[in-house]
Amino acid sequence: ALSSCSKIGAKKIAEALKVNTSLITIYLSDNNIGDEGAKAIAEALNVNTSLTDIDLSDNNMGEEGKRVLREARAANGCRVIY
């Protein structure tokens, strides 16, 4: 995992994931992305078609962040660990 990339780093990663066509698994655990970072990642998951697994465990997400990730997971079938 990246070392404490925070919500700003999560937003940059989310932008890259939107155009990704080859990455299938990404581990972003323990990076303190919070709800704001989770929302950015969820938005990326809504358009990304290649990612099958993403680990977002231990990221200080609240219920709002987890909710948007659940919705994104339902939309694209990616396995999200949080």
Side-chain angles (χ1 to χ4, degrees):
L2 300 173
S3 180
S4 195
C5 76
S6 75
K7 64 185 177 189
I8 295 168
K11 289 179 180 180
K12 291 180 186 275
I13 291 168
E15 288 303 313
L17 289 175
K18 287 180 182 179
V19 296
N20 166 65
T21 58
S22 58
L23 188 66
I24 57 170
T25 301
I26 189 167
Y27 298 95
L28 296 171
S29 61
D30 197 26
N31 279 292
N32 198 31
I33 67 168
D35 286 344
E36 196 172 331
K39 289 176 185 177
I41 297 289
E43 185 179 303
L45 290 178
N46 284 324
V47 297
N48 180 292
T49 58
S50 64
L51 204 60
T52 60
D53 293 279
I54 185 167
D55 184 346
L56 295 169
S57 57
D58 300 318
N59 269 297
N60 296 320
M61 288 181 279
E63 287 306 311
E64 179 65 14
K66 292 175 182 177
R67 181 188 62 76
V68 295
L69 286 168
R70 278 192 302 271
E71 290 171 1
R73 178 182 65 199
N76 88 343
C78 180
R79 184 174 73 110
V80 179
I81 300 169
Y82 49 80

